[in-house]
Amino acid sequence: MNARRTIVMVDDLRSFVDGRIAEVARTSDAGVELLGRYRDRRLDELWLDHDLGGDDTIWPVVEVLERAAFDKRPLDVGVINVHSANPAGAAKVALVLRRWGYYVRVASGSPEVGYLDGQAVNRSAPG
């Protein structure tokens, strides 16, 4: 049995400041693809940023979660942390996902995520 927590982050610039192992998607398209790999697997934590650079936002990822719940097959996610610096966007994401039964925590300003040495850092969990 694997005791390691499974964590996914969708954020264009930030990573975990403590260096924890996580799979990171930097765009909504990459986030959608990454969630597809967790369709039938447990995801302990999902961290979502609202604004993903340019015109890209988290909404395509939210739509995947909504569709799964609508189809009565919600993704198995322990907690969704919305850590966006966009308060209105974070609140709307939380409202929508809670409506579909997901456990959501608004974590805007969380000290767990940040910019490391001015560069985005990817840490991918093996296999």
Side-chain angles (χ1 to χ4, degrees), residues 31-69:
V32 167
E33 189 274 327
L34 189 53
L35 280 187
R37 289 192 266 156
Y38 284 92
R39 173 64 266 178
D40 296 311
R41 295 170 39 197
R42 169 73 176 182
L43 186 55
D44 296 302
E45 298 176 29
L46 176 59
W47 290 75
L48 304 177
D49 182 20
H50 183 276
D51 302 309
L52 299 174
D55 293 332
D56 196 13
T57 69
I58 200 64
W59 287 104
V61 173
V62 171
E63 290 169 5
V64 167
L65 294 160
E66 284 183 291
R67 171 56 64 180

Side-chain angles (χ1 to χ4, degrees), residues 70-94:
F70 177 81
D71 291 341
K72 307 225 181 302
R73 292 188 61 227
L75 273 74
D76 183 7
V77 181
V79 61
I80 299 172
N81 295 288
V82 183
H83 65 276
S84 179
N86 175 337
K92 188 173 176 185
V93 168

Side-chain angles (χ1 to χ4, degrees), residues 5-20:
R5 297 183 58 74
T6 305
I7 303 169
V8 166
M9 173 186 277
V10 183
D11 190 308
D12 59 325
L13 297 172
R14 291 171 287 196
S15 294
F16 291 108
V17 297
D18 63 4
R20 76 185 73 169

